Amino acid sequence: MSTLGHTSTGLKDFMERMATITHLTETTPNVSVEELLAGFHPSYRFGEVSFDTYHPDPSQPSQAEAVTKLKAFADSIGKNPKGSVFAKLFGKAKTTKNGIYLDGGFGVGKTHLLASLWHAAPGPKAFGTFVEYTNLVGALSFRQTVDVLSQYKLVCIDEFELDDPGDTVLMSRLMRELSDAGVKLAATSNTLPGALGEGRFAAVDFQREIKALSDQFDVHRVDGEDFRHRGLPEAPDPLQDADIEAYAQQRFPQATLAVDNFDELVAHLSKVHPSRYRQLLAEADVLVLHNVDTITDQSIALRFVVLADRLYDKDVPIIASGKPFSELFTPEMMSGGYQKKYFRAVSRLTALAREGQIGENAE
């Protein structure tokens, strides 16, 4: 009896230490409009930041100026939200713009500042990446997206970038209609609004839409060291495929492991709208990926970029076999019109792989 009791206790302890196994390829999230919109908030990494936790570089006065401007912008939100209608009735021109736009290189704290603005502002409010908003339109329709977001006081757009003419027209219309409805807009990018789209398509043919976008914003340049010169982080050595699941369970004994074959996951992503990738990963603490291979199809690659962003937002460590993430996209992709997206995805996936395999925190 005593031995059985000890054995039962030991088995219970062992079972409690075992990781839970799930498969993304067996998950097809059914997400309501309310659930989609509930995901439009700063990621885990910026869940508790504030203007006080942003430390401007004394040698870069534009950083402290950005804090001052954003605090004033936050104070203006919710005050006379339909002021544009009042101005029209009395023939008064708007003296201030409904948007603020932070331009600067990587690593100067633009996302930190944008998230701080979101936390400081009254709601309802939305925070998402440029891609998340275009995906939202795809999931809801343009008109429903406008109707929903027009009820918000603030819409924050991180990593604002235009990659094709369709997105140019789409976002130009969306921002214009939201601004006309009195919604405050805030955006970050590595490209000034007047230069959006350059190097990706014939931007000269879409100058009207690009100008309409840039006219929505007061632009503030945030100077500082641009960390792009650091290049990509070094990818960890690939693990033997037969070992990765046991290694993952050893490294993360109480986690929920999403275990999938790379090719099967890639195929499954085409059946799930990118706006639902956040919910696809809802139960995953760690991603265990068998046989990573180079993606050669552009549409597949762009879907995987969205997945990479959602993995990074949630800080999901990765343990993988096959090719390192530095070889995830073809050389042509890494030097083509979407190179910034692919560079970011490889950097983030590699950082998460380093976290999963060698315990280095992804930054």
Side-chain angles (χ1 to χ4, degrees):
M1 180 73 75
S2 167
T3 303
L4 179 60
H6 284 301
T7 302
S8 298
T9 301
L11 179 61
K12 181 181 178 182
D13 291 343
F14 175 74
M15 293 295 290
E16 289 177 348
R17 291 196 302 271
M18 287 185 65
T20 302
I21 305 297
T22 188
H23 305 284
L24 298 182
T25 51
E26 296 177 0
T27 305
T28 304
N30 185 14
V31 185
S32 68
V33 173
E34 292 74 21
E35 288 172 322
L36 275 179
L37 293 171
F40 277 77
H41 57 75
S43 70
Y44 164 81
R45 297 173 183 277
F46 298 98
E48 297 182 358
V49 298
S50 67
F51 292 126
D52 290 337
T53 62
Y54 179 79
H55 303 293
D57 183 345
S59 67
Q60 302 289 346
S62 63
Q63 295 185 11
E65 291 168 4
V67 173
T68 300
K69 285 188 175 182
L70 287 173
K71 284 182 176 179
F73 191 78
D75 288 341
S76 73
I77 295 171
K79 297 176 181 177
N80 192 24
K82 303 291 184 180
S84 57
V85 175
F86 181 87
K88 289 177 182 177
L89 288 174
F90 291 90
K92 296 180 179 179
K94 289 174 63 176
T95 57
T96 59
K97 296 184 179 181
N98 261 5
I100 190 166
Y101 184 104
L102 301 181
D103 175 73
F106 292 100
V108 297
K110 301 187 305 297
T111 300
H112 187 140
L113 288 167
L114 189 67
S116 298
L117 170 65
W118 187 90
H119 287 299
K125 52 194 174 181
F127 184 106
T129 64
F130 176 86
V131 171
E132 286 182 292
Y133 286 106
T134 58
N135 287 337
L136 183 67
V137 172
L140 301 185
S141 80
F142 179 83
R143 182 47 49 195
Q144 188 176 6
T145 301
V146 171
D147 290 344
V148 170
L149 294 182
S150 291
Q151 306 306 311
Y152 283 42
K153 291 183 172 67
L154 171 68
V155 169
C156 296
I157 310 123
D158 199 22
E159 300 173 358
F160 201 110
E161 188 55 84
L162 299 179
D163 295 306
D164 59 54
D167 282 349
T168 304
V169 176
L170 174 71
M171 294 304 291
S172 173
R173 287 181 58 203
L174 181 63
M175 296 300 99
R176 186 164 58 249
E177 294 204 25
L178 292 180
S179 181
D180 288 345
V183 179
K184 294 287 189 177
L185 308 172
T188 70
S189 180
N190 305 305
T191 310
L192 286 168
L196 288 169
E198 289 183 0
R200 286 170 171 75
F201 57 90
V204 66
D205 295 333
F206 298 90
Q207 284 301 316
R208 184 175 64 180
E209 283 77 13
I210 293 171
K211 185 177 188 303
L213 275 172
S214 62
D215 285 348
Q216 307 298 327
F217 300 100
D218 282 322
V219 178
H220 181 77
R221 173 75 185 181
V222 183
D223 296 310
E225 182 181 2
D226 187 333
F227 290 110
R228 280 175 291 191
H229 71 272
R230 295 183 306 182
L232 293 170
E234 183 179 353
D237 293 333
L239 299 175
Q240 292 295 318
D241 188 65
D243 300 334
I244 63 172
E245 291 186 38
Y247 182 77
Q249 293 194 47
Q250 180 184 10
R251 287 269 292 123
F252 303 97
Q254 294 180 307
T256 296
L257 309 180
V259 180
D260 289 282
N261 179 276
F262 179 77
D263 288 341
E264 293 175 357
L265 178 59
V266 164
H268 184 64
L269 291 179
S270 67
K271 304 172 186 176
V272 179
H273 194 277
S275 64
R276 292 168 168 78
Y277 287 3
R278 188 188 303 275
Q279 287 75 20
L280 180 69
L281 298 170
E283 302 301 322
D285 298 321
V286 179
L287 177 60
V288 181
L289 208 48
H290 288 276
N291 300 312
V292 172
D293 202 358
T294 301
I295 299 173
T296 58
D297 182 275
Q298 188 101 272
S299 61
I300 294 173
L302 290 172
R303 281 196 293 269
F304 211 89
V305 166
V306 178
L307 182 71
D309 287 340
R310 301 293 79 77
L311 287 165
Y312 189 78
D313 287 346
K314 196 184 176 191
D315 194 13
V316 178
I318 299 174
I319 294 174
S321 66
K323 294 183 179 179
F325 287 115
S326 56
E327 299 176 22
L328 181 62
F329 306 113
T330 66
E332 291 76 16
M333 290 178 183
M334 295 297 288
S335 60
Y338 296 101
Q339 59 180 289
K340 189 173 81 169
K341 289 179 181 290
Y342 295 136
F343 186 99
R344 183 181 74 239
V346 170
S347 178
R348 289 180 169 184
L349 290 167
T350 299
L352 293 173
R354 292 179 65 87
E355 181 177 353
Q357 293 178 205
I358 63 179
E360 179 181 285
N361 289 336
E363 297 292 344

